[in-house]
Amino acid sequence: MLGIISVIYGVIMYVTNVYLDPSITYGIISYLIVIVLVTLAIKAFKAENGGFLSLSEALKVGIGVAVIGGIIAAIWTFALTTYIEPNLMNDVMETTREKMIEAQPDMSEAQIDAAMGMTSKLSSPPIAFALSLVGNLFFGLIISLIVGLIMKNKNPMEG
């Protein structure tokens, strides 16, 4: 579900042309989607497990959901930037450059080029894919830990 909703959200962002200059609202919505779906997955696991949930089970479920969702979302992003809209990253980089110049008008051209070079390296498909997975893994861990601590209910029959 997380992967499918992430792809639908990505398509909406693409169709509305938000990818070039997303506001913080879109990032917050993305995080809320992950939080809600990881929480629902852990809650469903607990219900299927007779109302019992250990912290390790919550971590397994939550991280699993986050990683699978992250892989699906990363595949969508790869397909978007490689096949659907191959110039998208160039457009994003140009928008980023313009915003950087606007925010820091006293930066030299060399400083701007250095910053853009680093941004370009981090935006390459393999690096972006890896960073996306690591980010989802970390965020899934944090959410699972919090939700697991709140929802845990040890089965007294398991000792």
Side-chain angles (χ1 to χ4, degrees):
M1 291 266 309
L2 177 59
I4 293 167
I5 291 173
S6 295
V7 170
I8 292 169
Y9 187 64
V11 169
I12 291 169
M13 287 181 67
Y14 172 68
V15 169
T16 59
N17 217 18
V18 174
Y19 267 117
L20 293 179
D21 192 18
S23 70
I24 193 163
T25 305
Y26 289 94
I28 291 169
I29 291 170
S30 293
Y31 285 124
L32 287 175
I33 290 169
V34 176
I35 290 168
V36 167
L37 290 173
V38 167
T39 301
L40 289 174
I42 293 171
K43 186 177 179 182
F45 179 87
K46 181 178 179 181
E48 289 291 318
N49 200 29
F52 299 110
L53 177 75
S54 69
L55 182 57
S56 65
E57 290 169 332
L59 289 170
K60 287 176 194 174
V61 170
I63 291 170
V65 167
V67 168
I68 292 168
I71 290 170
I72 294 169
I75 290 169
W76 152 252
T77 302
F78 179 79
L80 175 66
T81 58
T82 305
Y83 303 110
I84 299 170
E85 190 72 39
N87 290 326
L88 181 64
M89 290 315 295
N90 292 336
D91 295 343
V92 169
M93 294 296 289
E94 188 55 40
T95 302
T96 302
R97 181 182 200 83
E98 290 168 8
K99 288 179 92 176
M100 190 182 302
I101 292 169
E102 188 178 301
Q104 302 285 330
D106 55 333
M107 282 181 77
S108 71
E109 193 64 33
Q111 290 172 317
I112 292 171
D113 288 343
M116 295 306 295
M118 181 59 72
T119 303
S120 177
K121 287 178 187 170
L122 293 175
S123 301
S124 70
I127 300 295
F129 189 89
L131 290 175
S132 174
L133 284 181
V134 169
N136 269 29
L137 177 67
F138 180 73
F139 194 57
L141 172 69
I142 300 300
I143 296 166
S144 302
L145 182 61
I146 293 167
V147 172
L149 288 170
I150 293 169
M151 294 178 66
K152 74 178 179 177
N153 184 20
K154 188 173 181 181
N155 187 341
M157 303 305 246
E158 290 181 1

